[in-house]
Amino acid sequence: GDGMIQLKKDHEIEAMRLAGGVASTVLREAAAFVQPGVTTLEIDQFAGERIRHHGGKSAFLGYRNYPCEICISVNEEVVHGLASGRQVQFGDIVSLDVGVRYDGYIGDNATTVAVGGCDPAVQRLMEVTENALDEALDQALPGNKVIDISRAIQRCAEANGYSIVREFVGHGVGKKVHEDPQIPNFDDGSRRSPVLKPGMTLAIEPMVNLGQRHVEVLEDGWTVVARDGLPSAHFEHTILVTDGEPEILTCPGNLPSEPRES
């Protein structure tokens, strides 16, 4: 059931708007910083500096001992890639996942960008993955169920010949990075999907592979890759379920006007 799902109070929602504002602003700043020749470690350090500049803290650094400020996943890397001396090259695609804690609450968002440009087939993968997120948001209405979100994402991806990663899911978010409910990006056959209610705050995050859905974790214990070596895209927003259309919390308009000392 959905007994464990936290419905956020007004002051919590306001805190989550601020966290979302920082998270989305840093995500945009990091995306703009990506260019041929820059290392993933430089991207990570830059993102960490920007998070602190805006008065937040990385929600990922140290989470389950994760060693980086943000998650940077290149090409066939799906999620949870680790920063290193690797230089990104023209034609690569880079998924950036930024989680920020601000005033005790978390904003979580992701985007995938091409480095200078990329193969049109890979550009299309990114567009469809972002479209899948949009279709999911259209289903994030009170009275709908989590599975309506899942089905919308799966339909959008599979209609375009892509596959959905199944081992990693969207999730509730609030004081913790991962809260109930889990939000699969496919219809998992669950007969008891939680009903969406105003006050739920959800991180919706399609992870879509150009090739097969199968993934594996590298020896570093973190980096998830598409087993067939083909590219993967990842887009994510934190949203609030309302009485009507969902509110996107991870939007730059929510950036705090004066960062407080972190």
Side-chain angles (χ1 to χ4, degrees):
D2 41 330
M4 296 304 295
I5 299 176
Q6 308 286 329
L7 299 182
K8 303 299 189 296
K9 300 178 178 65
D10 287 348
H11 74 273
E12 296 180 291
I13 292 166
E14 187 47 43
M16 290 196 63
R17 284 192 187 104
L18 299 176
V22 175
S24 62
T25 300
V26 171
L27 184 64
R28 288 181 179 212
E29 290 172 340
F33 184 79
V34 173
Q35 57 179 325
V38 72
T39 69
T40 56
L41 186 58
E42 287 168 335
I43 299 167
D44 191 64
Q45 290 172 335
F46 173 79
E49 284 164 15
R50 297 313 294 167
I51 290 170
R52 288 184 288 279
H53 170 84
H54 294 299
K57 289 195 172 106
S58 169
F60 299 160
L61 180 64
Y63 179 71
R64 298 180 181 158
N65 294 319
Y66 185 76
C68 304
E69 299 276 357
I70 67 171
C71 301
I72 305 172
S73 308
V74 183
N75 296 336
E76 78 283 356
E77 296 173 355
V78 179
V79 284
H80 306 161
L82 299 182
S84 72
R86 174 184 188 168
Q87 292 183 314
V88 298
Q89 310 289 343
F90 183 88
D92 286 343
I93 63 167
V94 181
S95 295
L96 303 167
D97 189 347
V98 173
V100 167
R101 184 182 298 279
Y102 189 93
D103 247 20
Y105 287 84
I106 289 167
D108 189 2
N109 62 171
T111 192
T112 304
V113 294
V115 183
C118 68
D119 184 299
V122 180
Q123 183 69 39
R124 174 93 185 122
L125 169 70
M126 294 193 293
E127 286 167 7
V128 168
T129 306
E130 192 164 19
N131 290 345
L133 177 54
D134 290 338
E135 302 272 319
L137 297 186
D138 288 342
Q139 295 299 320
L141 303 170
N144 274 5
K145 296 185 171 180
V146 166
I147 204 162
D148 294 314
I149 292 172
S150 306
R151 286 176 178 145
I153 291 169
Q154 182 173 19
R155 255 199 316 267
C156 185
E158 292 181 354
N160 286 278
Y162 305 133
S163 58
I164 290 288
V165 173
R166 299 187 172 216
E167 291 81 356
F168 299 89
V169 297
H171 49 92
V173 61
K175 281 188 166 170
K176 295 196 302 225
V177 174
H178 292 115
E179 298 183 354
D180 286 338
Q182 290 201 340
I183 307 173
N185 292 312
F186 66 101
D187 182 343
D188 63 356
S190 147
R191 293 285 156 264
R192 304 197 48 182
S193 183
V195 175
L196 301 176
K197 295 175 185 163
M200 286 185 185
T201 47
L202 309 174
I204 301 178
E205 51 176 327
M207 289 153 261
V208 179
N209 290 356
L210 185 66
Q212 301 298 308
R213 70 173 185 82
H214 308 286
V215 300
E216 61 193 19
V217 180
L218 297 185
E219 282 179 8
D220 64 26
W222 282 106
T223 309
V224 178
V225 299
R227 206 181 291 162
D228 61 13
L230 294 176
S232 183
H234 180 208
F235 286 80
E236 175 184 26
H237 270 307
T238 298
I239 65 149
L240 169 70
V241 180
T242 72
D243 293 322
E245 299 288 309
E247 178 188 339
I248 296 175
L249 298 174
T250 42
C251 87
N254 285 338
L255 187 68
S257 46
E258 288 186 18
R260 54 201 78 176
E261 292 302 308
S262 55

